[in-house]
Amino acid sequence: MPLKLPRSRAEIRRIQSERKRYAVEQARRAPFWRSKLEHIHLERLDDPDEWRRIPILDKDMLRALSDQQFYNEFCVGGADGISEYWRSGGVTGQPLFYPRSFRDMEFALLSFARTYDCAGAEHGDRAHISFPMGIHPVGQVFARCAASRGITVNWAGSGASTPSALQLELIQRLKPTIWLGMSSYALHLANLAEAKGMDLSSVKRVMTSAEPVSQAKRDKIERSWGAKLIDTFGMTEAGMMGAEDKPGAGFRIWTDLYFIEVLDPKTLEPAKEGETGTLIVTALWTNNVTPFLRWSSGDLVSHSEADDGVGPFAVFPRVKHAHRTTGFFKVRGMNLGHPDLEDFMFRHLEIGDFRAEALNEGGNDVLRLSIELRRGCDGAAMCRTMAEEVKAKFELAPQLVVLETGTLAKEFEANIKASRFVDRR
């Protein structure tokens, strides 16, 4: 791997100082950035005031570029050529495909491999990877970098390529010790396994990414799998940026690979430790073709230095998602936050999975909750209980529908992310 784990904050600061200058020099080669960086003094980039003179790059700025403008004016020629393309998350409307040079990929593979280390995975572990293996990079990069850690891989892919029933059969036969995929798909597989009476106990670690994981969702997945959940965090514009070393405490961010800022959303001044701010990221090594300087991903987070001295990853700060950008329903004048509803639903041990829909019936808005129940539950009694509790908690009287176990998994498994919240009005 191209960069050893730093041993001190001082070493990280030295790397950042060198690589921030390279990042700006690369950006100046791009017509998109050239006029925006004319006034920036390269020798002063360690001065926070000078660094903040660089304009923030956001989604609207990318949306304004045509496909050809992005490649001709934003991207620069990588000296070592293009290795592959990474699909963006689609935040710019039509997804872009970011070129990655061969040098970029060395550091991209390193950033993903560190998540295994942070999770406590070891040489000889066996990984079943249920992330999509298509044009989105997360699944195939997780699979490719496992070799550097001596981890055996089954490239299962998502339910779209390997049906869930076959995924469970492979887990039974090959007995992986690590499962990797979307948290929503972890729930679906666990529900199907319970319905079929299948055992998932070989899996000791569940590694997730790309979706918010509330405490209630984490608890449910860990109960269902009998395994520890480790969440990871990345973005296509940069790479895999970090992972949990303590479940629920936030992500250790690889700050020798990515320079991060957490800013007050209104003033754009630095947020204090523990305060919620907008995350700004500058890639320090994966910028040989796509010079993402001060990229605003839209993530709202809090940060802490978290220098507790426990383990080799204590050298990195922690970032914790505020989970405030994931949407809501407005039903009969009430704002119903998706994370709040998901957290509420998964705290009920009787519920295996659910879907929430906003509908309009006879001129009135309606919240419909379709639920799958654990075996042995009284459906009618549970519906009465849920109706009362939802009314008390959210001031809405829902429609409750009980589904056969596995119904939602069959509907969701072809999707990259579960459509758990659907507005049908």
Side-chain angles (χ1 to χ4, degrees), residues 113-126 149 151 177-178 204-207 228-230 232 243-247 254 312-313:
R114 282 184 181 176
T115 66
Y116 287 116
D117 303 334
C118 208
E122 299 176 338
H123 189 282
D125 269 319
R126 299 180 300 281
R149 299 308 192 252
I151 296 172
T177 54
I178 308 170
K204 307 304 178 188
R205 295 178 178 84
V206 169
M207 295 177 64
K228 176 185 176 183
L229 188 150
I230 301 95
T232 64
E244 295 178 330
D245 59 347
K246 181 180 179 182
W254 323 138
F313 291 95

Side-chain angles (χ1 to χ4, degrees), residues 66-75 85 96-99:
S66 68
D67 210 44
Q68 285 306 307
Q69 283 178 314
F70 175 75
Y71 291 111
N72 295 336
E73 299 177 20
F74 185 89
C75 297
Y85 291 87
L96 290 167
F97 287 82
Y98 301 142

Side-chain angles (χ1 to χ4, degrees), residues 100-411:
R100 290 285 173 261
S101 76
F102 290 93
R103 184 62 170 163
D104 286 335
M105 288 310 302
E106 292 181 33
F107 291 93
L109 288 164
L110 168 65
S111 68
F112 275 77
R114 282 184 181 176
T115 66
Y116 287 116
D117 303 334
C118 208
E122 299 176 338
H123 189 282
D125 269 319
R126 299 180 300 281
H128 179 107
I129 299 183
S130 295
F131 283 111
M133 291 293 178
I135 55 178
H136 197 281
V138 61
Q140 46 96 351
V141 183
F142 262 128
R144 288 156 60 192
C145 73
S148 69
R149 299 308 192 252
I151 296 172
T152 304
V153 172
N154 182 11
W155 298 54
S158 69
S161 57
T162 306
S164 297
L166 180 54
Q167 300 247 3
L168 291 176
E169 180 185 330
L170 290 169
I171 291 172
Q172 302 297 298
R173 293 174 58 190
L174 303 180
K175 300 193 182 306
T177 54
I178 308 170
W179 180 88
L180 297 94
M182 303 286 188
S183 58
S184 56
Y185 196 47
L187 286 171
H188 303 330
L189 284 182
N191 291 333
L192 283 180
E194 183 191 21
K196 294 174 178 288
M198 301 179 81
D199 180 22
L200 301 174
S201 62
S202 70
V203 176
K204 307 304 178 188
R205 295 178 178 84
V206 169
M207 295 177 64
T208 60
S209 197
E211 291 179 332
V213 178
S214 67
Q215 187 60 47
K217 193 175 188 180
R218 180 188 300 274
D219 292 344
K220 181 167 181 56
I221 291 172
E222 291 187 338
R223 284 195 308 269
S224 301
W225 285 78
K228 176 185 176 183
L229 188 150
I230 301 95
D231 201 16
T232 64
F233 172 58
M235 58 185 69
T236 324
E237 292 75 17
M240 183 56 69
M241 292 182 57
E244 295 178 330
D245 59 347
K246 181 180 179 182
F251 305 105
R252 294 283 189 180
I253 299 295
W254 323 138
T255 46
D256 58 335
L257 302 179
Y258 311 102
F259 181 71
I260 66 166
E261 305 164 72
V262 180
L263 307 181
D264 181 283
K266 295 181 179 179
T267 67
L268 297 182
E269 292 296 315
K272 296 178 181 178
E273 272 196 55
E275 292 182 348
T276 297
T278 186
L279 180 64
I280 308 295
V281 180
T282 298
L284 298 178
W285 299 90
T286 52
N287 55 7
N288 292 291
V289 185
T290 53
F292 280 98
L293 278 183
R294 303 197 77 204
W295 167 250
S296 176
S297 63
D299 293 278
L300 291 174
V301 304
S302 60
H303 74 289
S304 65
E305 289 304 310
D307 191 4
D308 51 20
V310 179
F313 291 95
V315 72
F316 296 117
R318 280 199 184 105
V319 157
K320 190 169 185 177
H321 265 104
H323 298 296
R324 278 171 38 189
T325 60
T326 51
F328 63 91
F329 288 145
K330 194 177 188 73
V331 180
R332 296 195 178 188
M334 302 301 297
N335 287 336
L336 184 62
H338 296 171
D340 295 331
L341 181 57
E342 180 179 82
D343 191 71
F344 170 81
M345 296 297 287
F346 283 141
R347 289 194 184 281
H348 291 79
L349 303 186
E350 301 88 347
I351 293 178
D353 206 347
F354 80 96
R355 178 173 57 206
E357 299 165 280
L359 307 101
N360 187 274
E361 294 185 350
N364 292 321
D365 285 348
V366 175
L367 174 67
R368 177 188 293 164
L369 298 175
S370 299
I371 60 176
E372 296 181 10
L373 300 177
R374 305 291 292 270
R375 284 184 292 182
C377 287
D378 183 328
M382 191 61 191
C383 283
R384 288 194 296 270
T385 299
M386 290 301 298
E388 293 173 359
E389 294 190 13
V390 171
K391 175 68 173 176
K393 173 77 172 177
F394 300 105
E395 300 182 39
L396 286 170
Q399 289 183 356
L400 272 295
V401 178
V402 178
L403 302 177
E404 182 182 347
T405 299
T407 300
L408 292 175
K410 291 176 183 177
E411 295 180 13

